[in-house]
């Protein structure tokens, strides 16, 4: 899935909700959120397996039910009198088995194991070895849970509310649409037929081969699709609804269509352009052609994930696919490009070759999350997208992976309810980061050679992590399995500690590694180590590695010859290695001028600041040191560097909202951002590009939120003109202006925003408003926003971002949001039932607390209101709260003193 993680990255890009934490051993005792017993789980028996599913479905879009007929060609490998399949929320009416060339045998019993989502069909006599046809008639419900075969609500251009029938099967929900062997390794071909109203569009993985009137009802048609290649059940898809489309052909002859809501075909053109450029790019990169005749990309109104890579029919949230040339902002374009790149990569990596079991999910998602950037860099070099990768994925993964409650990239998964939990920043962002490190270690040519061998060897089959390592090892001659095992099988990452000594013209470096923890370095006995690819550059050529070594032990000494005393030395140029760095103070001192004079490349200026911020959270240096460093960024021109700085200041601002001197950190933010704000101004200038637009939005939003008077006045003036229709705000300025006027607004401002929300025709605009509503300050208005989150006005998948916006905006908002979630828990839990949105909701609501007793409160609430799919998230939040509290106790007074004295007149 370009699933969750992708969606999350985008959702909070403007406010940035990274959460950080720190603590010492004394607190670990408070963290007794024990992971519950793992549920017993057994995979399906192997005595019967499917070869082909003949599936006919007839959805009823009025009563929200569906009828199904399955005729599956199956192979019995050893004689048995029962067949065990996956089945959930489906009622089987009749079932029988017809052995090849023999009499039909009716099943005599259906035993549902609801807890395990299985059904056992019992037969009166043993089914003998050989092939035959399994026939099942069944009925099911078009649910409203955004999983399985479900209904999605939309409004026609004339204003009538209607429903489409759509699917979301990953990870384990194909079993809600038809009885099947719902495991990724049990692949088969599919012949799908849909019986649908004749005025609706019907789509599936393959192209339509026959369409004829349905004999029993003249208003229905029977649509038959071509046989699919051999594939996993979680990639099957069908959509029945009303859509327009735009169409093109890629240079290698694949028909590409983007389906949009009726009347919005124009908004599909940008995604169409990206998709038609991307297919040939992947074909060349993998040296394997796209294997289907067509690919459809379709926008679904109610959609929990960001997108889903169903083979040949990729489904998206509207905001991940639709771009309006006038009303879409630059970050939305970039987001659409990344999601399209991610999902199309899966057509090879995931669909053609599929992970053997969910333990290897990271391979699918980590790989697609890495290559989406390669693809966008190819299509849009002006986005400087690899620098953005470091801020969006790499640092986010480091933050989560420093927690005691993190997990290794490869997780043993059993019960289906455990699968949702691993769609997280470790699978996606750490996965992508270690693949980026691996690609850098191997080199592009050998990497591609190994990828090609892997895809050819395992096409239409299943593979595990080790299979990929073997292919890359053979292509590169390097010890890939040994190196990568240390990054995927153990959780966490090292901090690399560096010191130096000058000897004549040589620089002697001492480099050591130990596990980095959010509570400081790991000092225990049994400290894990990693195989760390380390590269080193000097001020002579900051972009080029002077030396590369593989650190395969706790400590080593390296000699750099020909490096004079006046040159600086930098570890990890390009910020590619997945680790934090702690330099000796002399090394750090020598690097700081490279920030002011911009001789360090942008990604390294970002990495240096981010490492130091992280060390301050972990109590290894004072937060004041980081504030001093931040002041050196006053000449910074790069959007992504500012974005990361802004995130970290947001975290600090949130932490200090628990103190009496919150206003002083706002003043610090205003001082830091004012010069760049003045330089950029409000209006775009000729010759500016994508990144200038992103930077202007970021800076104005930061200044407005921090109460910078001139920014606030100008935002109010422009907002008034926008509302009156005199001068419509450019899309890139809407988020910062909306945020600013709401943060310093009253009930009239909120009412105006809600009116704009109601009038908005585009989901992107509705979401833009939903995400900033929480900035309002008055307690009664905060309550009004929270109630709005659960109203009919907000799509179910977007409720989470409204509540999250409230929690992330202020101390009052955080308290109110947590109370609201507790008071409405039953409704919220029922709505998201175990999907990943429930984890997201919990994280956004409670992660920002910084008082020890809140950790206990959160822990006890979830002990009495269990949410199995969010167990790990609850643990991480409790850990974060304790870490925040420790950070505050440790550094608050020093920060306060520094903020006061930097304003004091010199004596």
């Amino acid at each position: 899935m370009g699933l969750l993680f992708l969606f999350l990255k985008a959702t909070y890009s403007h406010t940035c909700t990274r959460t950080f934490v720190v603590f010492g051993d004394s607190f670990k005792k408070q963290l007794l959120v024990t992971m519950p017993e793992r549920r017993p789980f057994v995979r399906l028996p192997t005595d019967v397996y499917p070869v082909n599913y003949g599936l006919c479905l007839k959805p009823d879009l009025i009563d929200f039910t569906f009828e199904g007929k399955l005729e599956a060609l199956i192979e019995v490998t050893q004689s048995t009198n029962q067949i065990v399949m996956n089945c959930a929320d489906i009622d089987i009416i009749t079932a029988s088995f017809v052995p090849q060339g023999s009499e039909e045998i009716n099943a005599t019993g259906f035993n549902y194991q609801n807890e395990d989502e299985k059904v056992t069909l019992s037969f009166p006599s043993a089914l003998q070895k050989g092939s035959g046809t399994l026939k099942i008639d069944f009925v099911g419900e078009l649910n409203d849970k955004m999983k399985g075969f479900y209904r999605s609500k939309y409004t026609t251009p004339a204003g009538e509310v209607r429903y489409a029938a759509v699917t979301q099967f990953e990870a384990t929900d194909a079993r809600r649409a038809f009885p099947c062997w719902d495991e990724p390794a049990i692949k088969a071909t599919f012949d799908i037929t849909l019986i649908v109203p004749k005025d609706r569009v019907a789509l599936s993985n393959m192209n339509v081969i026959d369409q004829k009137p349905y004999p029993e009802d003249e208003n229905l048609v029977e649509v038959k699709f071509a046989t699919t290649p051999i594939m996993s059940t979680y990639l099957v898809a069908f959509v029945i609804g009303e859509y327009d489309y735009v169409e093109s052909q890629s240079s290698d002859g694949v028909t590409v269509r983007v389906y949009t809501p009726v009347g919005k075909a124009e908004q599909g053109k940008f995604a169409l352009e990206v998709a038609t450029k991307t297919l040939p790019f992947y074909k060349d990169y993998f040296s394997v052609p796209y294997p289907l005749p067509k690919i459809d990309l379709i926008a679904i109104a109610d959609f929990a994930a960001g997108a889903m890579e169903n083979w040949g029919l990729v489904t998206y949230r509207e905001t991940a696919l639709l771009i309006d040339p006038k009303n879409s902002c630059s970050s939305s374009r970039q987001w659409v490009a990344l999601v399209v790149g991610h999902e199309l990569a899966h057509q090879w990596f995931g669909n053609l070759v599929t992970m053997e079991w969910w333990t290897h999910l990271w391979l699918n998602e980590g790989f697609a999350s890495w290559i989406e950037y390669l693809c966008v860099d190819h299509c849009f070099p002006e986005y400087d997208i690899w620098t953005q990768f470091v801020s969006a994925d790499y640092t986010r993964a480091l933050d989560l992976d420093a927690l005691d409650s993190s997990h290794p990239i490869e997780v043993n998964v059993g019960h289906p309810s455990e699968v949702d939990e691993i769609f997280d920043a470790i699978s996606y962002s750490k996965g992508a980061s270690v693949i980026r490190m691996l690609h850098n270690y191997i080199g592009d040519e050998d990497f591609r050679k190994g990828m090609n061998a892997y895809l050819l060897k395992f096409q239409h089959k299943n593979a595990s992590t080790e299979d990929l390592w073997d292919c890359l090892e053979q292509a590169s001659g390097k010890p890939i399995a040994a190196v990568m095992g240390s990054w995927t099988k153990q959780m966490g990452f090292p901090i690399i500690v560096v010191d130096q000594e000058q000897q004549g013209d040589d620089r002697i470096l001492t480099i050591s590694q130990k596990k980095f923890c959010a509570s400081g370095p790991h000092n225990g006995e049994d400290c894990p180590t990693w195989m760390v690819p380390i590269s080193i550059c000097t001020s002579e050529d900051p972009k080029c590695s002077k030396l590369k070594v593989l650190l395969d032990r706790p400590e080593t000494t390296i000699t750099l010859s020909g490096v004079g005393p006046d040159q600086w030395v930098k570890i990890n140029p390009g910020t590619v290695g997945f680790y934090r760095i702690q330099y000796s103070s002399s090394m750090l001192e020598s690097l700081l001028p490279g920030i002011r004079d911009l001789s360090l490349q942008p990604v390294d200026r970002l990495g240096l600041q981010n490492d130091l911020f992280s060390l301050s959270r972990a109590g290894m240096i004072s937060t004041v040191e980081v504030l001093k460093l931040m002041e050196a960024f006053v000449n910074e021109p790069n959007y992504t560097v500012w974005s990361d700085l802004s995130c970290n200041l947001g975290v600090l601002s949130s932490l200090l909202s628990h103190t009496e001197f919150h206003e002083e950190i706002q003043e610090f933010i205003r001082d830091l951002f004012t010069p760049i704000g003045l330089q950029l101004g409000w209006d775009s200038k000729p010759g500016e590009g994508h990144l200038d637009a992103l930077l202007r939005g970021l800076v104005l939003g930061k200044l407005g939120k921090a109460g910078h008077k001139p920014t606030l006045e100008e935002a109010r003036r422009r907002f008034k003109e926008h509302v009156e229709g005199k001068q419509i705000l450019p899309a890139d300025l809407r988020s910062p202006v909306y945020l600013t006027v709401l943060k310093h607004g009253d009930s009239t401002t909120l009412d105006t925003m809600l009116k704009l929300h109601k009038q908005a025709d585009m989901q992107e605009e509705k979401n833009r408003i939903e995400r900033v509503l929480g900035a309002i300050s008055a307690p009664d208005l905060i309550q009004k926003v929270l109630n709005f989150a659960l109203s009919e006005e907000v799509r179910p998948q977007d409720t989470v971002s409204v509540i999250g916006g409230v929690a992330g905006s202020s101390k009052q908002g955080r308290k109110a949001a947590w109370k609201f979630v507790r008071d409405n828990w039953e409704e919220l839990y029922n709505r998201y039932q175990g999907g990943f949105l429930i984890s997201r909701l919990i994280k956004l609501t409670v992660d920002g607390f910084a008082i020890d007793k809140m950790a206990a409160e959160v822990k006890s609430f979830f002990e009495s209101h269990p949410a199995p799919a969010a167990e790990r998230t609850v643990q991480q939040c409790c850990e974060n709260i304790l870490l925040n509290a420790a950070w505050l106790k440790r550094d608050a007074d020093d920060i306060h003193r520094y903020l006061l004295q930097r304003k004091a007149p010199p004596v």
Side-chain angles (χ1 to χ4, degrees), residues 7-8 11-12 14-15 317 766-774 785 789 794-808 832 837 840-841 844:
F7 145 55
L8 304 184
T11 312
Y12 288 85
H14 73 289
T15 47
R317 273 190 180 212
K766 284 189 188 292
N767 284 172
R768 191 182 283 133
I769 294 168
E770 287 159 3
R771 292 202 289 258
V772 295
L773 287 173
V785 171
V794 178
R795 286 188 178 166
Q797 71 265 26
D798 298 320
T799 298
V800 173
S801 48
V802 182
I803 298 172
V806 172
Y832 303 123
L837 281 172
R840 186 63 187 157
L841 175 70
L844 287 173

Side-chain angles (χ1 to χ4, degrees), residues 164-166 201 203 239-245 259-262 298-301:
V166 302
V201 173
L203 301 170
V239 175
I240 299 100
E242 296 175 280
Y243 301 94
D244 285 346
Y245 66 86
Y259 282 85
T260 72
V262 173
I298 185 166
I300 305 292

Side-chain angles (χ1 to χ4, degrees), residues 698-719:
L698 175 82
V699 171
L700 291 174
K702 203 73 179 168
L703 284 168
K705 193 176 178 188
H708 180 249
K709 287 249 169 12
T711 305
L712 175 56
E713 282 160 19
E714 183 63 8
R716 282 179 172 154
R717 185 185 73 75
R718 289 183 181 236
F719 182 66

Side-chain angles (χ1 to χ4, degrees), residues 854-880:
M854 282 309 304
E857 184 176 308
V858 169
K859 176 173 168 265
S860 85
F861 179 80
F862 289 108
E863 278 169 356
S864 54
H865 301 80
E871 277 152 7
R872 196 184 303 273
T873 301
V874 171
Q875 265 198 304
Q876 288 164 350
C877 290
C878 291
E879 186 175 346
N880 275 338

Side-chain angles (χ1 to χ4, degrees), residues 65-81:
T65 55
F66 61 88
E67 294 170 24
K69 265 187 186 323
L70 175 66
E71 293 204 1
L73 179 60
I74 64 174
E75 198 63 45
V76 179
T77 55
Q78 60 194 60
S79 99
T80 174
N81 60 358

Side-chain angles (χ1 to χ4, degrees), residues 61-62 64 151-164 200 242 301-302 792-793 795:
L61 299 173
I62 309 298
F64 307 137
R151 61 187 189 261
S152 169
K153 183 166 137 184
Y154 63 97
T155 309
T156 65
E160 187 192 337
V161 171
R162 289 189 185 165
Y163 289 86
R200 301 294 149 104
E242 296 175 280
D302 293 320
E792 283 290 309
E793 297 292 318
R795 286 188 178 166

Side-chain angles (χ1 to χ4, degrees), residues 48 52 54 68-76 80-85 92-100 102-110 112 119-128 131-138 179 181:
V48 177
N52 169 271
K69 265 187 186 323
L70 175 66
E71 293 204 1
L73 179 60
I74 64 174
E75 198 63 45
V76 179
T80 174
N81 60 358
Q82 56 182 35
I83 295 179
V84 183
M85 304 168 75
I92 294 175
I93 296 160
T94 60
S96 65
F97 178 69
V98 186
Q100 204 169 355
S102 189
E103 295 290 299
E104 185 164 359
I105 309 168
N106 287 313
T108 46
F110 320 134
Y112 298 96
V119 65
T120 301
L121 308 177
S122 308
F123 293 89
S125 56
L127 313 180
Q128 298 308 315
S131 50
T133 305
L134 175 66
K135 297 180 178 182
I136 302 179
D137 287 1
F138 57 94
W181 286 262

